[in-house]
Amino acid sequence: MPTSTTKITISLSLVLSVALSVRFVSAQAPQSPVACATCGPGCVNPCLPPIQGVDCAQGTGCGEVHWNAWGPIPWQAFGHGEYAGVARLPHVPEYRLRVDDEIEFVYRLKRDEVNRPYLLDVGDEIQIESLIDEKLNRKVMVQPDGTVDLLLLGPVRVIRRTGEQIRDDLNEKYKKFYRITDINVTRITTQAKANDLLQSVNNRFFSGGQGKRVRVTPEGTISLPSIGVVPAQGLTLEELGREVMERYTLVADGLEMTPILATRAARFVYVTGEVKNPGRYEMVAPTTALQALTLAGGRVNGGNMREIVVFRRGEDWRLLATKLDLNGAWNGERPIPSDEIWLRDSDVVAVPRMPIRRLDDLIELYMTRGVYSAFPISFFYNLSGTSGVAVAPSTH
């Protein structure tokens, strides 16, 4: 039978052998401190220990994944720089404009070649020259009535005509006064309307460039120079750009316009009930129910996290409602709660009171503010074993 001294000797020998074997294994596969130190963003760091946890992808489609599915998860695949996170998917497949969106329209005068002759418009300037009589030479501007004033002829209509058509017409008209006519027409300034429009949206002293920022009004429209009110509610930026360009084509030629969504209308979620800071909170990014409760400071004692109600308005303004059970997630018992849903603009998240809290409030209301407030009653008990009920005297 081994003695205690023998047991201690065997234990020390066992510890020493284990230590030597660990040292031998470590010597066989040493870790490189250089590799640990030089692993930068984007590389898999071999020095990081595997993170254990629960992944929703581990489920079988038959309910939630619970903590018993604990195992290695792709939690920290990179080195430093992990805080940046991965690129998320688009929030919505197609964004449509809504009230209070701010749109910036960038204007540009096109320099592209067109396959049709240019037609003069109001504000354009032309040069009239004659080799027969220098008195006919003059530079004139197309007036609002579409005419130019010329010597001997007076007002001559030139709007919506090419330079060649005006030249032929003037040579024919001046035959009344000259046996030989040699009138030439040269365009000096064109696209006057487009240039005037660019001047009206010139922001070089403010944000810079040729642009105009507008806000979608409560009636779902925007207002732009020269074309006035344009419907915008429910349109995409591409659809709005086509609508505006078609209207500007009727006003000025050679103009290009690009709409840019400058500022989105604010999105709000309303959190009420048994939370620390009920109120309205802006959603600057996709927001879940738990995140909304966090914005409101979390629940107070007595808040029922098993029956959270979310109210939502449909496209036709009908009211929808659902119930969420986030108690397990709030207490760390459910790692992948199926009730953690995404919220939408104007959703109302209501945290009701627990049944015991409602009962307590009912008793307080009945006992302190109900019938006993009109007829105060006091109970007494003394050491002799007698007790009774006393009604307080009326003060009236």
Side-chain angles (χ1 to χ4, degrees), residues 197-375:
L197 180 59
L198 290 180
Q199 292 298 324
S200 67
V201 296
N202 190 351
N203 294 324
R204 64 167 61 100
F205 297 110
F206 298 96
S207 61
Q210 310 286 339
K212 178 71 174 178
R213 178 173 292 197
V214 295
R215 182 189 295 268
V216 181
T217 64
E219 63 180 1
T221 62
I222 59 174
S223 297
L224 292 172
S226 300
I227 60 174
V229 178
V230 180
Q233 171 76 16
L235 300 180
T236 64
L237 282 176
E238 182 180 359
E239 293 171 345
L240 180 62
R242 290 199 302 264
E243 177 68 23
V244 172
M245 276 304 305
E246 290 179 1
R247 299 191 180 212
Y248 271 125
T249 302
L250 303 177
V251 176
D253 195 15
L255 193 65
E256 181 182 81
M257 184 278 312
T258 303
I260 300 173
L261 181 61
T263 305
R264 295 189 316 164
R267 271 76 171 165
F268 296 103
V269 60
Y270 300 81
V271 185
T272 185
E274 301 302 302
V275 292
K276 294 180 180 179
N277 302 305
R280 185 184 73 172
Y281 295 91
E282 183 176 359
M283 295 192 299
V284 297
T287 306
T288 66
L290 277 176
Q291 291 171 343
L293 294 176
T294 304
L295 292 175
R299 73 175 184 92
V300 298
N301 189 22
N304 190 355
M305 297 292 289
R306 290 187 173 89
E307 295 183 347
I308 298 174
V309 182
V310 178
F311 299 96
R312 173 174 296 177
R313 290 286 181 179
E315 288 74 10
D316 57 355
W317 287 96
R318 71 184 188 279
L319 184 62
L320 309 175
T322 185
K323 277 189 177 184
L324 309 178
D325 182 1
L326 297 177
N327 185 70
W330 196 266
N331 295 325
E333 299 172 356
R334 293 168 60 190
I336 312 294
S338 59
D339 289 0
E340 172 67 332
I341 63 175
W342 296 103
L343 300 178
R344 198 169 68 177
D345 179 37
S346 299
D347 280 357
V348 179
V349 180
V351 180
R353 294 170 297 172
M354 297 181 67
I356 190 172
R357 177 69 181 275
R358 293 200 298 267
L359 179 60
D360 182 64
D361 292 345
L362 181 62
I363 294 175
E364 179 186 0
L365 180 64
Y366 178 72
M367 297 295 292
T368 62
R369 303 179 186 179
V371 63
Y372 290 106
S373 64
F375 302 98

